Amino acid sequence: MAQAKRGAASAAGAGAAPQLRTLKKYPNRRLYDTATSSYITLADVKKMVLAGEDFVVRDAKTNEDLTRSILLQIILEEESGGVPMFSTHMLADIIRFYGNAMQGLMGAYLEKNIQAFVEMQKRFAEQSRGMVEGKGFSPEMWTQFMSVQAPMMQGLMSNYLEQSKNIFVQMQEQMQKQAETLMPPGFPGFGPPKR
C-alpha cells in the first residue's frame, strides 16, 4: 500500500512519528493486529483503510509484505457484493496492460487520476459542509443544494478531466523521450517531428 509505505518512510525520517501498524497473517488465514494484540477480519482492515490508517500486512512466518494481497482481497469482496465499481470491460482492459510495455505508465496514470479525483471529492465535501451542519436534508433542501452545487461540480469535473489529460500528455512525452534515447538515429518514427 503506497500510503503504508509513505508512512514507513516518514516514520523512519521523523523519529517522533508513530510507528507503522503491523498486521500478521498466519497460515490459518487469520490476521493478527500487533497494536491491539487481537485477531481481526478483512472487515476490520477495511475500516482501517477507510479511517486512513497506515499499516503493513506481513506473513507471520516469512515476514513477506502481503499488504497488496490483502487490499486486493478487500476489493474483490467489494466487487462481488453490492454494486461493483469496475465493469467487466474495464477489468479486461486492465488485465491486458499486464506484461505490456505500458504497464508501468498505466499504473502511474491510474494512481494520479485517483489522487486527483480524491482531491476533487474533498473540495466538494468542504464546500458543501456548511449547508448541512446541524440540519436534516429535506427533499426541498436537497433540490436547492443540488441546484447550487451543479455548476460547482461541473467546474470540479472539468478541472479533473483537464488534470487527467495533462497527466496523460506528460506520460506520452516521457515515453517519447525514453524511446528516442533507446532507438538509434534515423529509426522510423523516432526522428525529429516533421513540419
Side-chain angles (χ1 to χ4, degrees):
M1 179 173 184
Q3 191 177 22
K5 289 178 184 170
R6 280 194 297 267
S10 64
Q19 190 174 4
L20 187 64
R21 190 167 177 176
T22 302
L23 309 177
K24 292 193 176 197
K25 186 167 188 294
Y26 285 90
N28 62 4
R29 303 178 69 172
R30 293 185 76 189
L31 291 167
Y32 183 78
D33 186 349
T34 59
T36 61
S37 299
S38 61
Y39 287 99
I40 62 172
T41 64
L42 278 180
D44 296 320
V45 178
K46 178 185 170 189
K47 288 176 189 172
M48 290 170 57
V49 171
L50 293 174
E53 293 183 46
D54 290 339
F55 63 89
V56 63
V57 181
R58 300 228 173 255
D59 185 284
K61 261 188 180 175
T62 65
N63 206 33
E64 178 186 357
D65 187 345
L66 302 176
T67 310
R68 285 177 34 81
S69 172
I70 295 298
L71 294 174
L72 286 168
Q73 280 183 303
I74 293 170
I75 290 171
L76 182 61
E77 280 191 4
E78 290 295 317
E79 287 290 309
S80 299
V83 181
M85 186 183 307
F86 302 109
S87 68
T88 304
H89 181 72
M90 182 178 178
L91 289 171
D93 283 343
I94 291 171
I95 290 168
R96 287 182 191 107
F97 277 101
Y98 285 97
N100 186 307
M102 297 287 287
Q103 179 177 338
L105 291 172
M106 180 52 73
Y109 177 74
L110 290 174
E111 185 173 2
K112 287 179 181 179
N113 268 281
I114 290 173
Q115 287 171 351
F117 195 81
V118 167
E119 285 302 314
M120 181 185 75
Q121 184 183 23
K122 282 181 188 173
R123 278 186 262 148
F124 177 71
E126 287 168 6
Q127 291 175 353
S128 61
R129 187 175 297 131
M131 277 191 70
V132 296
E133 286 178 355
K135 301 176 188 174
F137 256 34
S138 68
E140 295 81 25
M141 282 181 68
W142 183 251
T143 302
Q144 181 184 10
F145 173 75
M146 288 311 289
S147 67
V148 170
Q149 296 302 317
M152 184 197 66
M153 280 302 291
Q154 231 175 0
L156 287 173
M157 282 305 288
S158 178
N159 288 340
Y160 167 73
L161 292 172
E162 185 64 28
Q163 284 178 338
S164 180
K165 183 187 93 172
N166 291 339
I167 290 168
F168 190 73
V169 167
Q170 287 173 351
M171 286 175 36
Q172 281 183 316
E173 289 170 356
Q174 287 175 344
M175 271 185 35
Q176 181 68 29
K177 287 177 186 173
Q178 288 175 349
E180 287 172 358
T181 61
L182 296 173
M183 299 299 164
F187 194 83
F190 291 98
K194 294 180 181 175
R195 295 186 184 237

